[in-house]
């Protein structure tokens, strides 16, 4: 399957990201309920891919009839942090008065655009990385998964690796395992292996030590929502990674399509942070790994202030941020 998510014979077809790397499995989603379930359990994930899921979900609803706007609301709120999900829903829903075929055409156009925009954004970001990092070939560090699995078919932050690898400029990628669902170890490592890019998986807690030992030339991450001033919400652990990179003088580059920018939020303080089920931390493969009464703090994302970020790059180039409001950090 060339794309992570696509429309095939009246169904939304996705690569089941919960099955990788053990099995490559496709899911055919034929109802809005099936699509929402796939989004919530992370069978399809990544901000750009969620934008596509939102648009295709509205197309499913329009083809089925019924209360399309109610179905659209259900899809848009399946996960709260990634702005692309609601954006994709709104874009397809805007064509509803023109009929189901127009809704589907708009969703399919979004798929084509996503591939192009992410390839363009990552190409711009590759030049930013090369300007910031004199060493060749490069040792890069990634967190979570921002490859083609997180998009329709190319990748955002990991797309930078594809561009640089084609030019023989990548020595190695250090892959944060990315707790608690291991999107780095399961998904990013799988993508790098498929592309024959040298990599090593490391525990999240090793990132700062790797920087201290001089093993990292640049950190590359994606984004689930970018505030108007350039604050970035991304997978939990990104904020700490940015603090470590700042301390060690390592460039920290964020790559995302402009659809991830939420101009309605002046800064990151207004970004809703999804909290995941406690079982993701208290169990492993169905086996309890904590005391039965253990409390859990399991945010899916954190917010990295713009002053810790070297550059946010979209398909338009470096995103400068509007207003650059002061960075606010809460006291304990």
């Amino acid at each position: 399957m060339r794309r992570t998510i696509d429309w095939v014979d009246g169904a939304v077809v996705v690569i089941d990201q919960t099955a990788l790397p053990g099995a490559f499995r496709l899911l055919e989603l034929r109802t809005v309920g099936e699509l929402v379930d796939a989004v919530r359990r992370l069978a399809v994930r990544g901000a750009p891919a969620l934008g596509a899921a939102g648009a295709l979900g509205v197309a499913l609803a329009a083809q089925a009839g019924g209360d399309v706007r109610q179905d659209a609301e259900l899809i848009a709120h399946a996960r709260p942090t990634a702005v692309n999900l609601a954006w994709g829903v709104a874009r397809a829903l805007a064509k509803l008065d023109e009929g189901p075929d127009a809704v589907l055409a708009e969703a399919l156009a979004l798929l084509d655009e996503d591939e192009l925009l992410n390839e363009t954004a990552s190409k711009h970001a590759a030049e930013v990385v090369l300007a910031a990092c004199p060493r060749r070939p490069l040792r890069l560090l990634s967190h979570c998964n921002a490859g083609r699995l997180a998009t329709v078919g190319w990748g955002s932050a990991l797309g930078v690796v594809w561009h640089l690898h084609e030019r023989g400029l990548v020595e190695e990628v250090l892959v944060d395992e990315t707790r608690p669902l291991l999107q780095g170890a399961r998904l990013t490592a799988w993508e790098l292996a498929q592309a024959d890019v040298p990599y090593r998986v490391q525990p999240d807690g090793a990132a700062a030590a790797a920087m201290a030992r001089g093993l990292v030339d640049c950190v590359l991450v994606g984004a689930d929502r970018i505030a108007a001033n350039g604050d970035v919400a991304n997978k939990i652990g990104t904020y700490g990674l940015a603090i470590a990179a700042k301390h060690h003088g390592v460039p920290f580059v964020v790559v995302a399509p402009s659809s991830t920018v939420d101009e309605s939020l002046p800064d990151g303080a207004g970004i809703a942070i999804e909290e995941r089920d406690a079982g993701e931390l208290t169990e492993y493969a169905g086996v309890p790994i904590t005391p039965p009464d253990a409390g859990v703090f399991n945010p899916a994302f954190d917010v990295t202030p713009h002053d810790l970020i070297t550059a946010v790059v979209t398909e338009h180039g470096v995103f400068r941020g509007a207003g650059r409001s002061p960075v606010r950090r809460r006291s304990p």
Side-chain angles (χ1 to χ4, degrees):
M1 185 174 176
R2 186 175 68 84
R3 287 176 161 176
T4 298
I5 179 169
D6 211 342
W7 180 269
V8 181
D9 296 331
V12 179
V13 178
V14 302
I15 297 173
D16 184 357
Q17 297 187 40
T18 65
L20 290 169
F24 184 90
R25 184 169 66 204
L26 301 180
L27 300 177
E28 289 188 5
L29 311 174
R30 295 190 175 275
T31 69
V32 168
E34 289 174 350
L35 183 133
V36 168
D37 177 68
V39 168
R40 286 177 175 163
R41 64 185 183 84
L42 307 186
V44 57
R45 46 147 295 280
L50 289 177
L56 290 173
V58 175
L60 272 180
Q63 298 284 329
D67 192 335
V68 177
R69 296 188 185 278
Q70 181 175 331
D71 285 340
E73 279 292 304
L74 182 65
I75 298 165
H77 292 94
R79 296 190 70 193
T81 302
V83 69
N84 305 64
L85 180 59
W87 169 82
V89 167
R91 178 164 164 178
L93 196 60
K95 298 292 184 178
L96 184 60
D97 291 343
E98 300 176 33
D101 289 345
V103 173
L104 178 58
E106 187 69 11
L108 294 178
L110 186 152
L111 299 185
D112 293 336
E113 290 172 19
D114 184 81
E115 285 194 86
L116 176 61
L117 296 184
N118 278 291
E119 185 169 1
T120 302
S122 56
K123 187 174 183 179
H124 289 320
E127 297 307 315
V128 170
V129 171
L130 291 174
C133 304
R135 186 185 184 279
R136 304 288 189 276
L138 294 164
R139 299 156 309 173
L140 306 167
L141 190 153
S142 75
H143 189 70
C144 196
N145 172 262
R148 74 181 186 93
L149 290 170
T151 66
V152 170
W154 175 260
S156 55
L158 211 58
V160 179
V161 175
W162 311 147
H163 285 296
L164 295 174
H165 179 61
E166 287 173 356
R167 298 160 66 177
L169 296 175
V170 177
E171 178 178 316
E172 178 184 58
V173 180
L174 281 177
V175 180
D176 277 359
E177 61 178 350
T178 318
R179 293 286 300 152
L181 295 183
L182 306 178
Q183 286 98 321
R186 292 190 305 105
L187 306 179
T188 297
W190 182 81
E191 289 197 52
L192 291 167
Q194 293 283 309
D196 291 324
V197 177
Y199 74 91
R200 286 187 289 172
V201 176
Q202 67 179 6
D204 293 356
M211 293 180 205
R213 291 178 59 180
L215 300 178
V216 181
D217 298 311
C218 185
V219 177
L220 292 169
V221 299
D224 287 83
R225 192 179 297 237
I226 302 167
N229 73 333
D231 293 349
V232 169
N234 192 50
K235 179 65 183 175
I236 189 69
T238 303
Y239 181 24
L241 196 59
I243 292 171
K246 188 79 167 183
H247 178 76
H248 292 97
V250 174
F252 188 95
V253 177
V254 178
V255 190
S258 59
S259 56
T260 308
V261 178
D262 187 352
E263 298 283 2
S264 72
L265 295 178
D267 57 57
I271 297 176
I273 299 298
E274 174 188 359
E275 292 211 21
R276 301 286 299 173
D277 184 82
E280 293 176 350
L281 292 179
T282 61
E283 297 178 1
Y284 179 75
V287 178
I289 57 173
T290 66
D293 57 349
V296 168
F297 175 55
N298 188 20
F301 305 96
D302 55 27
V303 176
T304 300
H306 61 76
D307 67 336
L308 296 177
I309 298 170
T310 304
V312 174
V313 186
T314 74
E315 72 274 14
H316 302 304
V318 175
F319 175 71
R320 302 298 177 185
R324 287 289 185 181
S325 59
V327 176
R328 300 188 299 252
R329 298 188 179 92
R330 293 188 299 175
S331 299

